[in-house]
Amino acid sequence: NSIVLQLDTFKSEVKEESYQLNISRNGIFIKANSLNGLFYGVQSLLQLIETPQNGKSYPFQIPFCEIIDSPTFSYRGMHLDTGRRFYSVDFIKKYLDIMAMHKLNTFHWHLTEDQGWRLEIKKYPKLTTIGAQRKQTSYDGKPSKGYYSQEDVKEILTYAKSRYITVIPEIEMPGHAVAALAAYPELSCTGGPFEVETNWGVFKDVFCAGNEDTFHFLEGVLDEVIDLFPSEYIHIGGDEVPKDRWKKCAKCQLRIQQENLKDEAELQSYFIQRIQKYLNKKGRKIIGWDEILEGGLAPNATVMSWRGEEGGIASAKLGHNVIMAPDTKLYFNYFQGDPNYEPHTIGKQLKLSTVYNYNPIPEALSKDEQKFIIGAQACLWTERIPTPKETEYMLLPRLSALSEVLWTNPNKKDLNNFMSRLQVQMKRYQKLNYNNANSVYDVFANNKLLANKSGYLVKLTTEMPNDSLHYTLDGSIPNQNSKKYNQPILIHSNTTLKAISYKNGKQHKRVFTKKYYIHKAFLKNVEVVNNYMKGYEAKHSGLTDGLTGSTSYGDGKWQGFLKDDFVGVLDLGKKTQITKVACNFLRFPELYLFAPKWVKLYISTDGMTYKEIDSQYFTTTTNPLAKEIVNYTYHGKSMYTRYLKIVAKNIGTNPSWHKTAGNQSRLFVDEVIVE
Ligand code: ACM
Ligand code: ZN
């Protein structure tokens, strides 16, 4: 009746963090060659035990088994942005608990940002007296503040250590530093003054690279960071550094001259290399985001590849260690389920299965180069994640998929098997009072255009294999008596599809809804006069694919115009009777998206002479937090036309109340519907 932990008894040739777990009539034995390995063995044992609710004890069974387990990667990381949101010490501990349970070993603690400096530095007290508070957040009118004292940090480090987690602090430079510049404006190119940022974005004011005081200051900060954090690596950021100020700064330009640098990209490289040298001298190594490749990579730097895998591939080819954190695979701030229900739908989608299927080793690398991929990490940027509860929601269950990416040999991964085990794991989350998402039960539609282009064949799926799906085509809310989904659904006409999923006798709360518009201009070509924005082409299907863009601006449906108007000419192919023309615009001032000033509609039978038949004016919103679809509809008496021209006037520049007043504004349009 004992649990035996045995050190230095694991005979086979294994990595440091490996373990063996034996459960039999003879007892429970965990063997490893390191305390880390024993710790992971205990985590697996806990995973085999049904977690008691509220600490109550009760009899339980553990299956007899033998597990021999080794991580695939030595760097297994999770990041948290505490610059945009301040989290309590207790929450950080909970975060570390969740990481430990998933056998991760590195916490990337993002401590400094434009919107807040969170680390007490005794030599520079204004970093926290000024830099750790902001007047408000995204126009909410509520001040917010918080920082970690050096005592807090020590407490967290002790907590992490006892969970075999290394904490890597990130001190951002030369960009994402407005909070520091608000405290010490003399370290900027312009001298300020600055306020700790209250909006999200990338800001032009960065540390001055020509001023010796900048380096003196950062060295002073890093001295205290080194004293506090024992990690081999210090993360120094390096991402998203606009060069606007450096281009106009006499000191920065003088530095470029004196150091024989080619341009501002090389000045950034100079900056990073100088800091690296300082840290190397103190026995530490740097990690930087993949921008540190630009202008020349500092020797020995480890690169964290976030803008896809390209930076990581290039770095590995140069013989640098790489941590993969590509946003499309591992940014947990992207939403995980049906965008109609996900609380934080800004940006892109990242499903659980996408995380699970990710392999950090890119095919583009040779066997020798692959060695430089030391692991992977997921990031959790918190701009749009206001509370700790929601932070947990974004983390779970995707962290479970990340854990398997990092522990399981890619050849042995099996999504279905994972999904079946995940159900047990999610029960465990609930008992531990972890707020996990249930988005794996959400219904998704895969829309395949029919060969004769008359409509769609719609396949419904859930990430978690379901027991059954039920749907309606008349707009009513489905229940278990509605038609059961057995095969893909044919859609030939205007249809509202609604669907629900069942698992283990329970109906998932979220009702899937999708409208299909099979209208008179369905799949007809729209000639667009002005250039649309890269990334917002709506090119997968165009403006007449019968599917409308959602409030998730990056859903691939919207066609975007920067400053320019939308001028679209639609050829219906032949003279056609019409009564209605409609299109949508996405309004989202935070991302510079506004409804048009006006929309005008023209018709033509020859495609040369056009007659205006409608014009409608729109008011420009004054609500910075608006996020909505603005509809234009012309509804008139029946008429005949072959060509239609729609002109939507871009407001041109962001309005005077906007955080970037006067900058070019964006007009996003989708689905020109003709009936
Ligand atoms: C990043 O997401 N800017 C590293
Ligand atoms: Zn400067």
Side-chain angles (χ1 to χ4, degrees):
N1 291 333
S2 48
I3 299 174
V4 183
L5 307 182
Q6 296 175 304
L7 201 54
D8 297 322
T9 49
F10 193 11
K11 287 291 177 273
S12 58
E13 233 181 83
V14 290
K15 291 179 199 148
E16 196 205 337
E17 295 172 292
S18 310
Y19 66 93
Q20 182 173 11
L21 169 62
N22 276 88
I23 305 176
S24 72
R25 232 170 272 286
N26 300 327
I28 297 175
F29 295 87
I30 301 173
K31 298 179 179 183
N33 292 336
S34 70
L35 291 170
N36 308 51
L38 287 182
F39 182 78
Y40 296 133
V42 171
Q43 296 312 307
S44 286
L45 174 60
L46 287 171
Q47 224 173 336
L48 292 166
I49 300 172
E50 207 183 320
T51 308
Q53 188 107 40
N54 309 325
K56 273 188 215 136
S57 66
Y58 61 97
F60 56 83
Q61 296 182 329
I62 310 174
F64 289 168
C65 64
E66 181 184 62
I67 295 172
I68 298 173
D69 201 4
S70 261
T72 307
F73 293 97
S74 63
Y75 184 105
R76 303 185 302 278
M78 187 66 222
H79 151 288
L80 181 64
D81 170 10
T82 63
R84 270 59 173 260
R85 307 281 175 187
F86 177 73
Y87 295 87
S88 68
V89 170
D90 280 347
F91 181 77
I92 302 291
K93 287 180 177 173
K94 188 175 187 185
Y95 204 79
L96 292 165
D97 283 339
I98 296 174
M99 284 178 58
M101 161 187 187
H102 293 89
K103 306 188 181 92
L104 268 62
N105 65 1
T106 310
F107 174 46
H108 172 176
W109 194 359
H110 188 77
L111 280 162
T112 72
E113 258 309 334
D114 300 304
Q115 297 83 4
W117 180 285
R118 306 295 179 204
L119 176 64
E120 178 189 28
I121 298 293
K122 301 220 152 106
K123 190 170 175 190
Y124 299 107
K126 284 193 282 182
L127 282 173
T128 42
T129 56
I130 292 174
Q133 45 196 310
R134 60 177 179 250
K135 278 189 185 154
Q136 59 174 345
T137 304
S138 280
Y139 312 94
D140 70 357
K142 293 183 211 146
S144 89
K145 65 176 179 183
Y147 69 90
Y148 304 98
S149 70
Q150 297 201 353
E151 287 311 305
D152 291 338
V153 171
K154 285 176 195 158
E155 189 180 328
I156 285 167
L157 287 171
T158 304
Y159 197 84
K161 191 170 175 210
S162 67
R163 281 150 189 78
Y164 299 88
I165 292 172
T166 299
V167 181
I168 297 182
E170 181 182 357
I171 307 296
E172 272 264 25
M173 61 189 81
H176 286 293
V178 173
L181 297 178
Y184 298 98
E186 62 274 21
L187 304 177
S188 70
C189 290
T190 64
F194 308 103
E195 282 189 346
V196 178
E197 282 296 340
T198 61
N199 286 305
W200 315 128
V202 172
F203 299 92
K204 289 180 180 154
D205 288 294
V206 303
F207 284 116
C208 176
N211 186 348
E212 276 307 294
D213 291 346
T214 299
F215 294 95
H216 184 73
F217 165 84
L218 287 170
E219 286 166 12
V221 168
L222 290 171
D223 284 345
E224 293 189 34
V225 169
I226 290 166
D227 284 346
L228 273 171
F229 293 88
S231 63
E232 177 187 10
Y233 289 108
I234 307 288
H235 200 309
I236 58 161
D239 61 318
E240 299 178 321
V241 188
K243 308 297 188 299
D244 306 61
R245 298 292 183 257
W246 290 358
K247 281 187 179 147
K248 293 194 172 144
C249 169
K251 283 184 192 159
C252 285
Q253 291 304 314
L254 185 63
R255 175 85 72 196
I256 288 176
Q257 233 178 41
Q258 286 174 339
E259 298 291 332
N260 266 324
L261 306 172
K262 204 168 81 221
D263 54 14
E264 290 75 21
E266 288 197 357
L267 183 58
Q268 150 120 351
S269 178
Y270 164 88
F271 197 114
I272 300 292
Q273 298 209 22
R274 190 162 161 183
I275 295 294
Q276 153 150 324
K277 273 188 207 127
Y278 187 78
L279 285 169
N280 285 168
K281 228 172 43 204
K282 305 256 167 177
R284 304 302 177 97
K285 296 180 183 163
I286 66 157
I287 300 177
W289 299 107
D290 58 61
E291 282 93 333
I292 67 169
L293 271 160
E294 294 161 13
L297 194 51
N300 308 318
T302 293
V303 173
M304 195 168 263
S305 189
W306 74 279
R307 297 176 300 176
E309 295 187 296
E310 288 71 25
I313 292 169
S315 306
K317 284 183 186 291
L318 292 169
H320 286 255
N321 280 346
V322 170
I323 298 154
M324 283 295 186
D327 70 324
T328 52
K329 308 287 183 183
L330 295 176
Y331 267 27
F332 288 0
N333 36 302
Y334 294 166
F335 62 93
Q336 44 195 322
D338 182 339
N340 289 323
Y341 296 98
E342 286 294 323
H344 315 293
T345 51
I346 188 162
K348 301 169 195 166
Q349 183 172 61
L350 176 62
K351 289 191 194 176
L352 178 71
S353 48
T354 309
V355 178
Y356 185 84
N357 289 327
Y358 178 58
N359 180 355
I361 306 284
E363 278 173 12
L365 295 180
S366 70
K367 270 267 164 306
D368 276 348
E369 292 162 348
Q370 288 176 9
K371 289 198 307 267
F372 294 109
I373 311 294
I374 60 171
Q377 148 180 318
C379 294
L380 194 30
W381 301 98
T382 54
E383 288 98 326
R384 269 104 194 155
I385 306 166
T387 67
K389 194 157 182 235
E390 288 161 306
T391 306
E392 283 172 32
Y393 177 94
M394 302 309 269
L395 190 65
L396 298 173
R398 286 184 289 195
L399 193 66
S400 180
L402 176 66
S403 178
E404 296 221 2
V405 166
L406 295 165
W407 273 83
T408 308
N409 185 315
N411 303 325
K412 290 193 177 161
K413 280 200 285 181
D414 175 340
L415 184 61
N416 273 335
N417 182 288
F418 171 68
M419 286 295 175
S420 99
R421 286 178 288 116
L422 182 68
Q423 295 172 66
V424 182
Q425 183 75 348
M426 295 213 290
K427 277 192 197 144
R428 208 169 156 228
Y429 293 152
Q430 293 299 304
K431 289 191 172 170
L432 290 164
N433 197 22
Y434 296 165
N435 181 38
N436 65 282
N438 280 312
S439 312
V440 286
Y441 302 108
D442 289 3
V443 177
F444 287 96
N446 177 289
N447 306 306
K448 194 162 171 276
L449 200 57
L450 293 168
N452 66 6
K453 307 214 165 161
S454 64
Y456 283 105
L457 190 62
V458 180
K459 208 170 136 186
L460 298 181
T461 57
T462 50
E463 284 196 282
M464 177 70 76
N466 57 68
D467 295 343
S468 66
L469 300 173
H470 296 264
Y471 69 95
T472 62
L473 298 173
D474 61 1
S476 64
I477 295 178
N479 56 42
Q480 73 253 49
N481 301 320
S482 306
K483 201 166 156 78
K484 193 166 168 198
Y485 175 83
N486 291 316
Q487 61 187 48
I489 305 161
L490 270 171
I491 291 187
H492 284 292
S493 57
N494 283 353
T495 301
T496 300
L497 167 64
K498 287 186 186 276
I500 49 171
S501 74
Y502 283 86
K503 182 74 174 177
N504 303 327
K506 262 177 53 190
Q507 189 206 309
H508 182 47
K509 278 203 208 86
R510 296 175 170 183
V511 179
F512 167 83
T513 300
K514 185 90 197 157
K515 282 190 176 172
Y516 296 83
Y517 299 87
I518 313 297
H519 52 92
K520 285 190 170 163
F522 183 58
L523 302 177
K524 296 281 192 289
N525 186 45
V526 181
E527 272 312 317
V528 174
V529 173
N530 292 316
N531 289 333
Y532 40 75
M533 293 168 66
K534 196 168 169 288
Y536 303 102
E537 294 100 345
K539 68 178 171 193
H540 308 298
S541 34
L543 290 169
T544 56
D545 64 353
L547 307 169
T548 51
S550 68
T551 52
S552 172
Y553 70 97
D555 66 5
K557 295 290 163 207
W558 295 102
Q559 198 164 73
F561 297 89
L562 182 63
K563 155 183 105 15
D564 292 326
D565 305 333
F566 167 65
V567 182
V569 176
L570 176 68
D571 181 358
L572 292 166
K574 60 177 194 295
K575 215 165 151 187
T576 305
Q577 187 181 16
I578 67 164
T579 56
K580 188 176 149 188
V581 177
C583 62
N584 286 336
F585 302 95
L586 182 57
R587 175 183 278 160
F588 191 8
E590 195 184 339
L591 289 180
Y592 327 109
L593 298 172
F594 293 90
K597 201 176 268 176
W598 47 255
V599 175
K600 290 185 181 178
L601 181 65
Y602 305 81
I603 54 170
S604 168
T605 47
D606 59 6
M608 290 189 294
T609 49
Y610 281 89
K611 185 174 129 200
E612 182 183 320
I613 57 163
D614 186 42
S615 69
Q616 287 178 32
Y617 284 75
F618 294 82
T619 47
T620 300
T621 185
T622 53
N623 173 12
L625 297 175
K627 182 169 164 188
E628 58 198 345
I629 289 169
V630 177
N631 176 259
Y632 162 80
T633 301
Y634 164 75
H635 211 143
K637 62 180 191 310
S638 158
M639 61 185 169
Y640 284 86
T641 187
R642 172 167 171 180
Y643 298 92
L644 281 162
K645 179 156 77 176
I646 302 171
V647 181
K649 185 77 186 159
N650 194 322
I651 64 164
T653 52
N654 300 334
S656 58
W657 55 262
H658 194 265
K659 62 179 175 174
T660 60
N663 281 10
Q664 297 177 335
S665 54
R666 301 172 179 190
L667 179 67
F668 272 32
V669 59
D670 182 43
E671 202 57 15
V672 176
I673 296 175
V674 180
E675 315 236 26

